[in-house]
Amino acid sequence: QQLLSQKERATVRDAILEERLNKLLPSLMDETGIDLWVLISREYNEDPVLRTMLPATWLSARRRTILLFYRDRENDRLEKLAVTHYNVGKQITAAWDRTEEPDQWKHLMELIVERNPRKIALNYSIDHNIADGITKTDYEEFMARLPSRLKPKVISAEMLAVRWIETRTEREMVIYRQLV
């Protein structure tokens, strides 16, 4: 077998990520009953799950990177938003214009309120360190800004995060067999 160049590897990794985000993530969100998943990470202190969602050529999150995944089962749609001023690769669309709203947290709360989710999942966990990526500071900032009526909807994303990490697509299994 021939080893791929770094550029070719990045292309393969990004294609796998696209498939995981567009096909695997909606089914995992349905299985776990989570309709809104928020991942918050800071540069050089990344949530372990968020790291797996970054493009292959990114070494880390940038500044504060917030990803929001909203599953609209009724319309069989998954919104993939970055509450940042830049797209996160080709799959996750920038959803914040800081010239219109300079407060990133405030804009995140506006996006959440607009979607009115049944559950708001954050990556915290007692049992699974891979699913415990939100920092104390970011958790406190999030909860302080979240409208009171939505606070009871906040749950651990533990099962979704673990399922995201442990599940391999058919394409990944083919590649895995080649690697082994």
Side-chain angles (χ1 to χ4, degrees):
Q1 290 184 4
Q2 178 185 352
L3 291 177
L4 299 178
S5 69
Q6 290 286 4
K7 187 175 183 178
E8 290 167 323
R9 284 184 226 169
T11 300
V12 171
R13 281 184 55 199
D14 287 343
I16 290 169
L17 179 58
E18 177 180 354
E19 180 181 7
R20 289 177 63 79
L21 288 171
N22 292 327
K23 294 182 180 174
L24 178 61
L25 185 55
S27 66
L28 295 179
M29 290 181 80
D30 292 349
E31 289 171 20
T32 57
I34 293 171
D35 58 333
L36 186 80
W37 190 15
V38 179
L39 294 96
I40 304 169
S41 199
R42 280 191 277 167
E43 192 169 16
Y44 306 120
N45 190 24
E46 285 77 18
D47 176 304
V49 176
L50 184 135
R51 283 188 71 122
T52 70
M53 297 174 169
L54 298 177
T57 56
W58 287 30
L59 298 178
S60 64
R62 297 178 181 160
R63 305 288 186 239
R64 178 174 280 115
T65 299
I66 302 173
L67 303 182
L68 183 149
F69 299 103
Y70 177 66
R71 177 69 172 139
D72 179 355
R73 268 185 102 169
E74 191 174 301
N75 296 306
D76 193 25
R77 195 170 58 96
L78 177 68
E79 278 186 285
K80 300 173 303 242
L81 303 175
V83 188
T84 61
H85 57 277
Y86 47 83
N87 293 336
V88 176
K90 295 178 182 172
Q91 297 303 311
I92 304 173
T93 308
W96 176 44
D97 181 348
R98 59 184 174 186
T99 60
E100 290 182 22
E101 173 51 69
D103 186 332
Q104 186 180 24
W105 288 109
K106 183 177 179 188
H107 189 66
L108 172 62
M109 295 309 145
E110 290 168 356
L111 292 169
I112 292 170
V113 168
E114 285 172 12
R115 281 146 189 82
N116 192 28
R118 292 181 323 276
K119 295 179 182 177
I120 302 168
L122 299 175
N123 283 359
Y124 61 84
S125 171
I126 292 172
D127 298 317
H128 298 282
N129 62 339
I130 196 82
D132 193 33
I134 193 168
T135 65
K136 182 178 188 302
T137 301
D138 285 339
Y139 178 81
E140 288 175 354
E141 285 285 334
F142 181 89
M143 293 305 289
R145 307 278 187 122
L146 189 67
S148 296
R149 68 179 179 81
L150 296 178
K151 288 181 183 186
K153 295 182 177 192
V154 174
I155 63 165
S156 168
E158 178 179 85
M159 291 314 302
L160 178 55
V162 169
R163 293 290 314 277
W164 170 263
I165 294 295
E166 75 181 2
T167 305
R168 298 291 170 258
T169 64
E170 287 182 38
R171 181 178 186 173
E172 287 176 295
M173 289 308 296
V174 168
I175 292 170
Y176 179 76
R177 283 191 278 284
Q178 292 170 352
L179 293 172
V180 175

